[in-house]
Amino acid sequence: MTGIRKPATGRRSGSRGERGSFGADLPPAGSGGAGGKHDPVSLPAGMLPVKLAGLLAPSRYKIAYGGRGSAKSWSMARALLLLGAQKPLRILCVREFQNSLGESVHRLLAEQIEELQLSHIYTVRKASITGANGTEFVFAGLRHNISKIKSFEGADIVWVEEGQTVSKRSFDVLIPTIRKPGSEIWVTFNPDLEEDDVHQRFVVCPPAGAMVQQINWRDNPWFSAELRAEKDHLQTRDIEAYENVWEGRCRSHVMGALWSKEIFAANRQSRPETVEERELLLETLRRVVIAVDPSGCAGESDKRSDEVGIVAVGLGHDGIGRILEDATGRYAPDGWAKKVLEVFDRWKGDKIVAEKNFGGAMVESTIRTARKLAPVKLVSASRGKVQRAEPVAALYAQGKVRHVGHFAELERQQCLFSTSGYRGPRSPDRADAAIWGLTELMLEEAPGEALFEYYEGLLAEKTADEAA
């Protein structure tokens, strides 16, 4: 094959005669047995980047990750088409969100069918691609089709595209579903955050025997001059963005993050080390609430469920909100109720604020079973996480919230909130609890007594400054 389409240019290549006729060298459309591991396909040199030649050999997991312009997706599409032309395969192409077929790899596969001159084998339809030998490509989104995905247990290969956006829950459902003997799971992704489930699952702790290959622009023999110019421009303008976009290195922070490490560092005070110091701190507070973000956790050994968020939050006479304690953990229902009351007593709380979306009235009942007259207020998440987080993040930016000590895991979760959504691998249980607590103390009361006292304090400070 003399002239292969350049995968990263976004432009059409030369005429059909210039591209050669690899399709004519494949076995007849009906040959090859169904199911089981496929035999390695022999290809002319240059059909795939050298680093991804392993795509054509059997392996349960095939992971290709790296920066833009590396030909990851192009190579996966080409390899799958060649394998599907050799023998009948059922191939499921998924991503986390797919609102329309235009968001899938359908178009990419259709283009490669033309480039490889495989039109005599494959028929491209609006919603599927089928082979004359029985091979079938099916396309689906994971987030809203988990129950449907479970019906694809007979798939030979699943290709997960844009794996950096796929949630842990989606992977946890998908992987055991693909259980046919000899079946394979292919994943392509551009690294985003170190905490992303796809990075932890397949790069940091890859399954035994997995083919895991990092590939970047310099490994793409068809890297275009246009993309090189874009790459060089970003490198001179924003080196951190360049490292992530083109070199495929994880970013140190979320783009458009609502919180930053600098915000916490600038608004931190020392943690009380003794009972006496805690009592002195309590004297500066006018209200304390214990905020709870329940989950379906069955106990400490339940690693599949999210933790129960438990955070103590105070509002000072100076109008400053304070994160006092993070007691989040894996508790059974009776266990988290006892922990909540323990924290409530330690900080002489006024109220327990608990989200009722998970469990409804059972949340209040669980607490009242442990203490009948506990003051409980149930709150409902009528808005999305980002919409609830943004006004609280604004309080931090204005210096109106301080952390009493260091809360590493809570602060990590807060830093994963962005204007486009929460980017963490699991539910932000700690952050959600803190947001509920600060909302109750600093946003729900406005423009009431708490807000009045806050501005009264500002006026007193201004008068004192002028007098001095």
Side-chain angles (χ1 to χ4, degrees), residues 292-369:
V292 186
D293 182 51
S295 76
C297 188
E300 187 176 353
S301 61
D302 182 4
K303 303 300 183 183
R304 293 178 62 89
S305 298
D306 295 320
E307 294 182 308
V308 180
I310 303 173
V311 177
V313 186
L315 178 64
H317 294 290
D318 56 3
I320 302 296
R322 289 173 171 83
I323 301 296
L324 305 171
E325 182 179 346
D326 179 8
T328 299
R330 298 189 183 282
Y331 309 103
D334 61 333
W336 69 252
K338 292 177 182 177
K339 175 59 69 172
V340 166
L341 292 170
E342 175 188 317
V343 177
F344 181 85
D345 292 338
R346 179 161 48 248
W347 290 101
K348 300 181 179 179
D350 305 294
K351 186 183 297 183
I352 297 168
V353 178
E355 182 182 337
K356 67 178 180 180
N357 292 62
F358 190 96
M362 183 188 70
V363 174
E364 182 176 9
S365 175
T366 300
I367 298 172
R368 294 199 187 282
T369 298

Side-chain angles (χ1 to χ4, degrees), residues 29 86 148-149 220 276 310 315 341:
Q86 184 191 41
K148 178 181 176 182
I149 295 302
N220 178 5
E276 291 74 16
I310 303 173
L315 178 64
L341 292 170

Side-chain angles (χ1 to χ4, degrees), residues 123-407:
T123 300
V124 178
R125 295 184 174 87
K126 185 176 180 180
S128 66
I129 295 175
T130 56
N133 63 351
T135 288
E136 178 186 21
F137 287 83
V138 182
F139 309 88
L142 292 171
R143 178 62 65 90
H144 304 301
N145 292 286
I146 286 296
S147 58
K148 178 181 176 182
I149 295 302
K150 291 179 180 179
S151 68
F152 284 96
E153 62 183 59
D156 296 289
I157 300 175
V158 60
W159 175 14
V160 182
E161 172 70 339
E162 294 189 355
Q164 74 275 10
T165 67
V166 177
S167 66
K168 181 181 185 300
R169 177 174 179 267
S170 293
F171 271 125
D172 286 345
V173 173
L174 176 66
I175 289 175
T177 297
I178 309 304
R179 55 180 179 267
K180 183 178 179 180
S183 58
E184 298 185 354
I185 296 169
W186 298 28
V187 183
T188 48
F189 71 96
N190 289 51
D192 192 10
L193 297 172
E194 183 79 22
E195 294 88 352
D196 285 344
D197 184 73
V198 68
H199 185 77
Q200 291 292 321
R201 188 185 293 263
F202 296 117
V203 178
V204 177
C205 299
M211 186 211 91
V212 181
Q213 183 64 65
Q214 183 177 29
I215 182 168
N216 287 315
W217 61 271
R218 60 178 57 83
D219 304 308
N220 178 5
W222 309 284
F223 191 67
S224 71
E226 291 84 355
L227 283 184
R228 185 178 296 276
E230 290 184 20
K231 174 188 73 68
D232 293 344
H233 177 64
L234 184 59
Q235 188 173 16
T236 59
R237 181 170 55 86
D238 188 339
I239 189 62
E240 186 172 0
Y242 166 81
E243 292 287 334
N244 174 244
V245 173
W246 292 100
E247 298 295 345
R249 297 191 177 101
C250 291
R251 288 188 289 112
S252 59
H253 63 278
V254 174
M255 298 295 289
L258 300 185
W259 282 274
S260 68
K261 295 178 181 178
E262 291 75 19
I263 286 287
F264 300 128
N267 295 280
R268 196 184 307 280
Q269 66 184 71
S270 59
R271 178 173 178 264
E273 299 295 336
T274 65
V275 174
E276 291 74 16
E277 289 178 353
R278 185 170 68 244
E279 291 297 324
L280 289 174
L281 175 59
L282 283 169
E283 290 177 7
T284 70
L285 305 177
R286 62 178 299 271
R287 285 194 66 200
V288 174
V289 300
I290 313 304
V292 186
D293 182 51
S295 76
C297 188
E300 187 176 353
S301 61
D302 182 4
K303 303 300 183 183
R304 293 178 62 89
S305 298
D306 295 320
E307 294 182 308
V308 180
I310 303 173
V311 177
V313 186
L315 178 64
H317 294 290
D318 56 3
I320 302 296
R322 289 173 171 83
I323 301 296
L324 305 171
E325 182 179 346
D326 179 8
T328 299
R330 298 189 183 282
Y331 309 103
D334 61 333
W336 69 252
K338 292 177 182 177
K339 175 59 69 172
V340 166
L341 292 170
E342 175 188 317
V343 177
F344 181 85
D345 292 338
R346 179 161 48 248
W347 290 101
K348 300 181 179 179
D350 305 294
K351 186 183 297 183
I352 297 168
V353 178
E355 182 182 337
K356 67 178 180 180
N357 292 62
F358 190 96
M362 183 188 70
V363 174
E364 182 176 9
S365 175
T366 300
I367 298 172
R368 294 199 187 282
T369 298
R371 183 175 298 176
K372 185 175 181 180
L373 299 179
V376 180
K377 176 182 178 179
L378 297 182
V379 291
S380 177
S382 59
R383 297 179 296 162
K385 290 184 184 297
V386 174
Q387 287 70 34
R388 297 198 306 272
E390 284 179 330
V392 174
L395 294 174
Y396 277 82
Q398 297 164 23
K400 296 178 182 178
V401 180
R402 296 177 187 168
H403 284 195
V404 182
H406 289 78
F407 303 101

Side-chain angles (χ1 to χ4, degrees), residues 382-446:
S382 59
R383 297 179 296 162
K385 290 184 184 297
V386 174
Q387 287 70 34
R388 297 198 306 272
E390 284 179 330
V392 174
L395 294 174
Y396 277 82
Q398 297 164 23
K400 296 178 182 178
V401 180
R402 296 177 187 168
H403 284 195
V404 182
H406 289 78
F407 303 101
E409 188 59 22
L410 167 61
E411 291 169 13
R412 184 191 70 82
Q413 288 187 2
Q414 287 177 294
C415 286
L416 291 174
F417 271 91
S418 77
T419 53
S420 60
Y422 179 67
R423 298 305 310 278
R426 305 193 69 152
S427 174
D429 30 54
R430 301 164 192 265
D432 276 346
I435 289 167
W436 283 122
L438 289 166
T439 298
E440 170 68 20
L441 292 177
M442 305 185 72
L443 298 173
E444 288 297 313
E445 291 192 345

